[in-house]
Amino acid sequence: MDKFTTLTGIAAPLPLINVDTDMIIPKQFLKTIKRSGLGVNLFDEMRYDSDGNEVEDFVLNKPAHRDAKILVSGDNFGCGSSREHAPWAIKDFGISCVIAPSFADIFFNNCFKNGILPIALPQEDVDKLMDDAERGSNAIITVDLESQTITGPDGGEIHFEVDAFKKHCLLNGLDDIGLTLEKVASIDVFEEKAAQARPWV
Amino acid sequence: MTGKTLYDKIWDAHVAHEAEDGTCLLYIDRHLVHEVTSPQAFEGLRMAGRKVRAPEKTIAVPDHNVPTTLDREEGIKNEESRIQVEALDTNAKEFGINYYPVDDIRQGIVHIVGPEQGWTLPGMTVVCGDSHTATHGAFGALAHGIGTSEVEHVLATQTLIQKKSKNMKVEITGKLSPGVTAKDITLAVIGKTGTAGGTGYVIEYCGEAIRDLSMEGRMTVCNMAIEGGARAGLIAPDETTFEYVKGRPHAPKGAQWEAALNWWKTLYTDEDAVFDKVVTLKGEDIAPVVTWGTSPEDVLPITGVVPSPEDFTGGKVDAARRSLEYMGLKPGTPLSEVAIDAVFIGSCTNGRIEDLRAAAEIVKGKKIAEGVRGMVVPGSGLVRAQAEEEGLAEIFEAAGFEWRLAGCSMCLAMNPDQLAPGERCASTSNRNFEGRQGFKGRTHLMSPAMAAAAAINGKLTDVREVM
């Protein structure tokens, strides 16, 4: 997995609540058997018209935000389907950090498996970053995972919380399966005991 | 020491390892797999030279992409869909997991097949790369959706890295009124709590109205726990549960049944257990409901009117404005005057036999309104067979519905079953998101009986008027 240490770049504002994973990557793009190549279809139905032309006023089509590395959005980001195609598409587009007041559970977990840092912040902090994001390349934002800080264009710092284990994995680009297999003895022991206690499983 | 909730008990019985910071390896008893979220996971195993740790606990079935038309035998015409289903065929064979291929009568939506075949049992941990895995919580199993990386993790290790969620109780007291169903309960709850109301929690549904539900109804309620943001929804197992499970192909038999039953009977929330959040609804206060917007929290009684953005606060004002524009609705319009173009009866939310019976009861002897197309998609081949045996298929066909083969179909419209732009659908599925049932398609969520009533009248309809 890609490491996430620090990220400096343009943020794109998407001031909508309940951005669902159908919006992030519509179902017609779930037919792939690969993880890559989904960035071009990120937010497909908002980003393109029915003829496949770019919708000019959609944020990621605007010159100021085409190269965004950070997305700032509203409450309950990533709700709906468990499709990991959503973080795959976000990452493939070039965005590695999503900032919102809250996230849906499955999407939030999926981000960490793909080198994306989802940051939940109080609404007033998100509002401030949303204003910064509106200014495109005139408002570069830096996210530092080690120190858990976001630095805005005016130099102001916002602290954010992140689970210590998830932070460790992201900073070091660790593979979950490899980590778990180090504890395979515990799984063996559990499986044996469970087979005695609940043989019907 | 305070008592334990049902969630606490199941959790405690499945912790294989706990780190100092509370990060656990949770052992997974059943892993359900479908074709859309698994190919990258199997490919990951292959590249790392790993095997499936517990193939006997892994069950796969194609459902999202499969055609539901009767010409299915001729194969899947869309090449990408076909490749995805063929990949599952190959992976199931190569890794030696349990499999119900497209031509097996037991094939169907993964969340209908699991319970039907007795794979889902009380007290289990159940996961699947699909958010509606919450369905299995109806059995008192801890069941939730996972992403593809986690699918690979479970395939390789039979565990998930998890931290425990908080406990939330949703109690539905008293009795439901005539015409009110499990779907109305689950939508009414989301209408009250919002789509993020359950985030960070596992919900236990309880109360008289929940106890009174059949297993089918309980599955409908738990299915949409995810739409309320919860990791999982649970209902404590009882005689209704045991009765449903007994005799199913993969349910325990003989002495093992007795042993299992003894443990299952301990799976309830202790009286002195403490919940972190409690929501209570009176059963008699719940009306037949429909959604008006593009979020499952946009729920109103069918007797209501389309709201105005100004009725809301915060980010919901803009969201409501956007929803109303997308849905083509004007504030103040009575919901019962909203004309529809299509009706979809099916999905893992409402594709079980009881759902088809409820819809058939309304439809019997009547015709679909002119200009409305109706589709009934059974949740599994076995549900389809039973509905045919009970004469339900004839009722639907006589009314003008298409009687389809089993699959996810127009719930998410990955196969050709889709709405055209601007088409408005009365749907028994679980999501009314923009584009969910087809590009620019408009979805109103409701119960099977309500969808059937809408089909007959050609507009959203209070089912109590046609009962």
Side-chain angles (χ1 to χ4, degrees):
Chain A
M1 186 183 77
D2 290 350
K3 287 182 188 179
F4 186 108
T5 50
T6 62
L7 177 69
T8 298
I10 294 169
L14 189 65
L16 291 176
I17 61 166
N18 296 331
V19 171
D20 60 70
T21 54
D22 277 80
M23 245 182 224
I24 297 171
I25 186 81
K27 67 268 181 171
Q28 60 269 37
F29 307 108
L30 308 188
K31 295 179 181 180
T32 176
I33 55 171
K34 296 187 298 182
R35 284 179 160 92
S36 56
L38 290 166
V40 67
N41 302 113
L42 176 67
F43 293 113
D44 195 86
E45 291 181 359
M46 297 161 87
R47 201 164 142 205
Y48 306 103
D49 64 21
S50 45
D51 298 324
N53 301 312
E54 286 188 1
V55 174
E56 254 179 58
D57 64 354
F58 182 68
V59 62
L60 297 180
N61 292 333
K62 291 180 184 172
H65 294 104
R66 295 187 84 92
D67 299 320
K69 293 182 180 172
I70 298 162
L71 187 68
V72 185
S73 192
D75 250 325
N76 200 28
F77 189 90
C79 60
S81 151
S82 65
R83 60 189 68 167
E84 200 162 318
H85 308 68
W88 293 339
I90 289 172
K91 183 80 181 173
D92 195 58
F93 177 88
I95 290 171
S96 301
C97 177
V98 184
I99 299 170
S102 65
F103 290 88
D105 190 41
I106 303 176
F107 175 84
F108 188 76
N109 279 327
N110 283 343
C111 282
F112 286 99
K113 316 286 181 191
N114 292 282
I116 300 172
L117 175 62
I119 301 176
L121 290 176
Q123 186 71 51
E124 63 261 31
D125 289 334
V126 175
D127 290 345
K128 168 82 179 59
L129 291 167
M130 194 73 79
D131 287 342
D132 290 338
E134 294 286 353
R135 290 153 56 206
S137 57
N138 295 319
I140 300 293
I141 290 170
T142 296
V143 179
D144 186 315
L145 178 55
E146 180 64 55
S147 66
Q148 297 178 215
T149 51
I150 301 169
T151 310
D154 55 2
E157 283 193 355
I158 296 170
H159 179 79
F160 63 86
E161 295 300 326
V162 58
D163 176 84
F165 175 71
K166 289 189 165 97
K167 175 180 174 179
H168 172 70
C169 291
L170 215 46
L171 280 174
N172 297 290
L174 296 178
D175 161 35
D176 275 354
I177 297 178
L179 283 177
T180 296
L181 288 175
E182 288 173 11
K183 302 184 188 100
V184 74
S186 305
I187 303 174
D188 291 341
V189 169
F190 177 88
E191 213 165 44
E192 221 162 277
K193 274 201 272 182
Q196 297 281 327
R198 299 188 295 275
W200 60 86
V201 171
Chain B
M1 203 178 111
T2 53
K4 288 179 171 187
T5 63
L6 170 58
Y7 171 49
D8 296 338
K9 290 181 182 179
I10 302 174
W11 175 274
D12 290 348
H14 289 87
V15 175
H17 182 273
E18 182 164 358
E20 278 176 20
D21 73 343
T23 303
C24 293
L25 283 181
L26 194 69
Y27 191 83
I28 302 303
D29 293 326
R30 291 287 180 263
H31 186 192
L32 306 173
V33 174
H34 65 77
E35 80 278 18
V36 179
T37 56
S38 68
Q40 294 87 350
F42 284 113
E43 186 60 18
L45 288 188
R46 220 174 266 124
M47 281 162 64
R50 289 172 179 143
K51 288 186 161 62
V52 174
R53 181 178 169 102
E56 73 283 3
K57 295 173 182 170
T58 312
I59 301 99
V61 58
D63 56 7
H64 285 57
N65 278 288
V66 297
T68 60
T69 42
L70 297 175
D71 59 359
R72 174 147 105 186
E73 284 171 2
E74 294 163 21
I76 303 175
K77 292 185 184 81
N78 179 284
E79 194 187 352
E80 287 176 297
S81 292
R82 184 174 50 76
I83 290 170
Q84 214 166 44
V85 172
E86 284 172 359
L88 188 62
D89 290 341
T90 308
N91 290 328
K93 204 169 164 190
E94 182 181 333
F95 290 93
I97 62 181
N98 298 289
Y99 192 46
Y100 303 103
V102 175
D103 60 0
D104 191 312
I105 188 164
R106 298 167 295 178
Q107 179 271 342
I109 306 172
V110 64
H111 307 308
I112 292 192
V113 173
E116 203 168 68
Q117 293 302 316
W119 290 111
T120 308
L121 299 171
M124 281 184 162
T125 46
V126 181
V127 297
C128 175
D130 191 285
S131 56
H132 291 111
T133 310
T135 311
H136 308 265
F139 293 80
L142 177 60
H144 59 89
I146 55 177
T148 298
S149 295
E150 291 182 315
V151 169
E152 185 177 339
H153 191 279
V154 176
L155 288 171
T157 70
Q158 205 58 28
T159 64
L160 259 190
I161 301 172
Q162 289 273 291
K163 271 197 176 163
K164 204 175 167 199
S165 303
K166 289 180 283 185
N167 280 290
M168 175 168 170
K169 175 161 95 168
V170 172
E171 186 175 16
I172 315 294
T173 61
K175 301 275 182 199
L176 297 179
S177 308
V180 179
T181 68
K183 184 65 165 286
D184 300 296
I185 292 180
T186 204
L187 283 171
V189 170
I190 299 162
K192 182 169 168 121
T193 62
T195 48
T199 304
Y201 295 91
V202 164
I203 295 176
E204 180 177 345
Y205 298 95
C206 60
E208 188 183 355
I210 297 290
R211 283 283 137 236
D212 285 349
L213 292 175
S214 65
M215 284 315 293
E216 285 84 353
R218 294 179 189 187
M219 284 188 256
T220 300
V221 170
C222 289
N223 173 276
M224 290 190 71
I226 181 69
E227 259 59 65
R231 169 157 296 175
L234 286 170
I235 294 173
D238 59 11
E239 287 305 322
T240 304
T241 322
F242 309 144
E243 184 67 25
Y244 179 96
V245 168
K246 198 169 188 180
R248 301 217 167 240
H250 296 278
K253 313 258 175 338
Q256 290 216 351
W257 171 261
E258 295 305 323
L261 204 55
N262 280 337
W263 187 56
W264 294 345
K265 286 181 176 170
T266 68
L267 298 175
Y268 53 83
T269 291
D270 297 330
E271 271 185 27
D272 54 343
V274 179
F275 284 90
D276 302 290
K277 186 172 179 177
V278 177
V279 172
T280 306
L281 271 79
K282 285 186 190 163
E284 54 266 34
D285 287 351
I286 302 174
V289 294
V290 295
T291 61
W292 54 267
T294 54
S295 167
E297 70 190 9
D298 300 338
V299 175
L300 281 173
I302 181 64
T303 48
V305 299
V306 175
S308 159
E310 283 69 42
D311 297 344
F312 301 95
T313 55
K316 192 70 187 168
V317 177
D318 283 344
R321 190 170 292 126
R322 184 183 168 92
S323 287
L324 291 176
E325 193 187 325
Y326 181 87
M327 294 296 290
L329 293 173
K330 285 203 173 61
T333 310
L335 288 164
S336 57
E337 286 177 12
V338 175
I340 53 153
D341 307 297
V343 175
F344 171 67
I345 297 173
S347 85
C348 60
T349 314
N350 285 125
R352 285 169 284 269
I353 190 68
E354 188 181 275
D355 302 313
L356 303 192
R357 285 180 194 142
E361 174 132 352
I362 300 296
V363 165
K364 195 170 186 177
K366 302 191 181 101
K367 295 270 184 210
I368 293 184
E370 211 178 305
V372 173
R373 66 179 171 123
M375 192 191 283
V376 183
V377 186
S380 73
L382 291 174
V383 169
R384 182 179 152 92
Q386 190 177 346
E388 286 177 350
E389 203 181 294
E390 293 182 16
L392 308 182
E394 281 171 45
I395 293 173
F396 288 123
E397 288 188 311
F401 279 94
E402 291 179 50
W403 176 241
R404 297 293 192 98
L405 299 177
C408 298
S409 183
M410 211 206 274
C411 173
L412 88 165
M414 262 190 92
N415 74 352
D417 307 341
Q418 301 186 5
L419 293 180
E423 267 194 314
R424 188 183 299 283
C425 182
S427 179
T428 67
S429 54
N430 41 57
R431 290 190 175 131
N432 50 352
F433 297 157
E434 291 179 21
R436 174 77 179 183
Q437 295 193 289
F439 184 62
K440 303 284 181 200
R442 294 162 170 166
T443 303
H444 295 273
L445 303 175
M446 63 197 73
S447 73
M450 285 283 286
I456 302 306
N457 282 354
K459 56 182 185 142
L460 303 184
T461 297
D462 189 335
V463 67
R464 293 168 295 193
E465 290 168 12
V466 295
M467 278 164 65

